[in-house]
Amino acid sequence: MTSNLLRFDRPATEWTAAIPLGNGRLGAMHFGGPARDEYQLNEDTLWSGGPYMPTNPKALDALPEVRRLIFDGEYRAADDLIAETMMAIPLKQMSFQPAGNLWLDFGEAGTEGYERTLDMGDAVSVVTCSGAGTTYRRESFISPVDQCLAIRVSSEGPAPVSLRLSLTSDQPGTARAKDDGSILFEGTNTGAEGIDGQLRFAMRAEVASGSISVDGTTLVVTDPVAVVILLDIATSFVRYDDVSADPLTRLDDRRTAREGRDWAAMRADHVAAHRELFDRFEIDFGDSAQSNLPVPQRVADYASKHDPALAAQYVQFGRYLMICSSRPGTQPATLQGIWNKETDPPWGSKYTTNINLEMNYWLPDLVGLPESVDPVIALVEDLAETGATMAKAHYGASGWVLHHNTDIWRATGPVDGPRWGQWPIGGAWLCAQLWDHACFAGYPDALVSRLYPLMKGCAEFMLDFLVEDPVSGELVTSPSNSPENEHAHDTTICAGPAMDNQVLRDLFDGVADAAVRLGQDAAFAARVRAARTRLPGDRIGSAGQLMEWREDWDMQAPERHHRHVSHLYGLYPSRQINVDGTPDLAAAARRSLEIRGDDATGWGIGWRINLWARLRDGKHAHDVLTLLLSPERTYDNLFDAHPPFQIDGNFGGAAGIIEMLVQSRPGHLVLLPALPAQWPEGRVRGLGARGGLTIDMDWSQGRVTKCRIAGPEGARLVVEERNDRRELVLSPQGVELEMV
């Protein structure tokens, strides 16, 4: 099988070369310097600001006039009026914040034989180097069991371990080194956009062995063999409207729970807990001469040298990042996962819901990590509360609404400006995606019951928000936009763009399906079905393209190569458009992709990989993957480059590789639908498919040789691979197929 070890032959000098560690709650970027090492630190609830509700009291009164302007074709005037009356107050949201930095200063240290590695299977970072006859080793991990960053610094040879330990932060606060071998930083977050900072937080680093003395705010530590350091962070955050917890009590409680546990026990329990998730899935495309080279060199060479293992490792790296940044009980992965060094990060390092948050969670159900989605469900449960206030205040509507961003305080208003923020479909997309998550799981009763009230509330808003077009009689969203893409009239503002209609079809289908499964709300299900029939359908434009707007503006848009491909939602992640059932629309989607072009931001490339895979064009999908696995779009540590770093490209690109191997809808599997020539041999184990299915598959010379499918007993299934089509009924033991 492809190795899960990533190698680096030099220390990180940039943040995007450091090794990410995390347990969903805590994150660290490990630089691995031989003389001075740095761990940049995050905690998932440390954000700027505090509880707030960003409604605009002018919005509701302005809504009728905004709609009139849009229907009269005065789009720029509508944009201006929205900017004056309907944007959230404040105009921007709060941002994910860095907690601080842990520093280990070694003085002079050897650099001979330097190597950094990340074992993705163990979730352990290791640094080794030598000098003057002594070999130094640093092992680091963030334990989901003991809830701390754990570091062991050891030496073999005549020189002992000797280091100075310090803890710093860009947040307001004070560090104190104590005689008990600990450093405590106590601080507060900062305010932003007129919202006062209301969080308290604390970081504690403690040395578990060695001779320790205090020098100001620094600990001086020596030991003949090894030093163990543990670090934890806590905030006062309880939920979006409660910041009353005591950070020190939280730190003390977790320290008490760790008492008496040595390094060996902590490491073993950490690895076991990580492997319980990581080992559910395997992927192998074969090795090559590139496989053992340092990661940055492999990325630089990917376009010109055969390295199938890098694509397989990219999937496993995506899984590793998901395990590290999203677990039940934590916050969801932000634009940067659980890792951010900036107090003013790009786009607030928050949750952008017109593609980015959704893309973060395309991967888990495919690769054996369904519980990673739980933080998103919890997020939506909060948004259904805060979004109800926004729906009433801005639109006079029932239910709940989310626009294109949210933060830890669950703000749901339109932010940044009309051309970005006036898009009230964020909640609908999240609900549609969560219903697909239920589809992967096989619609278990508990999950359906949990999701249904969220989906129903979102649908209630949409039924109130939709307005009849005075000319066509269709029900359209207004005001809205096709995310961030300006059309022919100097704005993005419009009514009923293609993406909105596609998302609402999925939402309404899901609500009606859930109501039937639960045996309730038959009248409401009938209402959403009736509304669905009145939504504008997908249309083909004059250039043969799938139209992004109801008007044929695509070829007049200022940015034909725009990073967003929102109108292709129906092709992916939705299944409304496909090469078998809607060939004309699939051809139009292909034409839109050709017009848009392959190169884009990192996440834009990730989306395009999935789209070309859905069109069953493996060559083109791999061509686009090659753009992603390049120094322009992948940093030295395999982080995705928007640029700057955004984690969605990692998750979207990994999901695209899986989409090239298996595509599914309930009752139907297509094997190797878009396999590129570069991966003629391979195998996967534990691949997830819709309907509660798990697939193990081998292929050779580009054809499936063996396939084992496990799932609900009695499930009927059609399996296709090229011209081989089989109808199956699953037994309790699953089904094994010999395909070639």
Side-chain angles (χ1 to χ4, degrees), residues 605-641:
I605 291 174
W607 197 349
R608 284 160 172 79
I609 296 168
N610 285 277
L611 289 163
W612 282 109
R614 279 283 170 91
L615 292 171
R616 301 185 188 174
D617 190 332
K619 179 184 183 303
H620 207 137
H622 190 270
D623 288 346
V624 181
L625 175 64
T626 301
L627 295 176
L628 186 65
L629 290 177
S630 70
E632 291 73 30
R633 290 294 178 265
T634 295
Y635 290 111
D636 282 356
N637 64 356
L638 283 186
F639 271 176
D640 170 68

Side-chain angles (χ1 to χ4, degrees), residues 435-684:
W435 190 242
D436 198 37
H437 169 62
C439 182
F440 271 98
Y443 301 110
D445 291 343
L447 182 57
V448 172
S449 296
R450 186 180 180 188
L451 295 181
Y452 179 64
L454 308 176
M455 297 165 61
K456 181 182 178 183
C458 186
E460 286 173 333
F461 168 77
M462 295 312 314
L463 291 174
D464 285 351
F465 177 72
L466 287 166
V467 61
E468 184 176 291
D469 183 284
V471 175
S472 69
E474 297 167 319
L475 291 180
V476 296
T477 53
S478 180
S480 189
N481 69 72
S482 187
E484 304 187 24
N485 193 19
E486 185 176 308
H487 54 66
H489 295 275
D490 192 32
T491 180
T492 66
I493 296 299
C494 64
M499 183 188 207
D500 289 11
N501 306 315
Q502 294 167 357
V503 171
L504 291 187
R505 283 195 283 272
D506 278 349
L507 172 67
F508 289 168
D509 286 347
V511 169
D513 187 8
V516 170
R517 291 177 183 276
L518 295 173
Q520 62 188 59
D521 287 341
F524 186 76
R527 281 186 65 201
V528 298
R529 289 193 193 98
R532 186 195 192 284
T533 66
R534 297 185 61 193
L535 296 172
D538 291 314
R539 301 171 184 179
I540 299 174
S542 57
Q545 88 286 3
L546 194 71
M547 287 167 51
E548 186 162 358
W549 300 274
R550 290 190 302 148
E551 296 79 3
D552 195 356
W553 290 334
D554 297 57
M555 303 307 293
Q556 304 168 49
E559 291 187 68
R560 288 193 195 173
H561 306 302
H562 198 268
R563 60 195 178 279
H564 285 261
V565 281
S566 304
H567 55 311
L568 303 186
Y569 166 94
L571 176 62
Y572 187 95
S574 182
R575 304 185 302 278
Q576 296 172 38
I577 299 172
N578 59 81
V579 295
D580 295 325
T582 59
D584 291 343
L585 291 177
R590 173 184 287 270
R591 180 63 185 135
S592 289
L593 273 175
E594 292 168 348
I595 293 168
R596 221 39 150 224
D598 294 337
D599 200 7
T601 60
W603 63 260
I605 291 174
W607 197 349
R608 284 160 172 79
I609 296 168
N610 285 277
L611 289 163
W612 282 109
R614 279 283 170 91
L615 292 171
R616 301 185 188 174
D617 190 332
K619 179 184 183 303
H620 207 137
H622 190 270
D623 288 346
V624 181
L625 175 64
T626 301
L627 295 176
L628 186 65
L629 290 177
S630 70
E632 291 73 30
R633 290 294 178 265
T634 295
Y635 290 111
D636 282 356
N637 64 356
L638 283 186
F639 271 176
D640 170 68
H642 179 286
F645 163 54
Q646 281 189 200
I647 205 167
D648 41 22
N650 286 104
F651 295 137
I657 292 170
I658 301 301
E659 197 70 22
M660 296 159 77
L661 305 180
V662 174
Q663 295 176 17
S664 68
R665 61 179 187 268
H668 191 230
L669 287 177
V670 181
L671 308 179
L672 303 184
L675 185 73
Q678 289 81 357
W679 310 332
E681 324 288 329
R683 63 194 291 259
V684 291

Side-chain angles (χ1 to χ4, degrees), residues 5 7-10 112-117 126-129:
L5 193 71
R7 300 178 183 275
F8 305 87
D9 62 355
R10 64 197 65 183
E112 299 170 13
Y114 180 91
E115 184 178 58
R116 286 186 298 145
T117 60
V126 177
V127 175
T128 55
C129 56

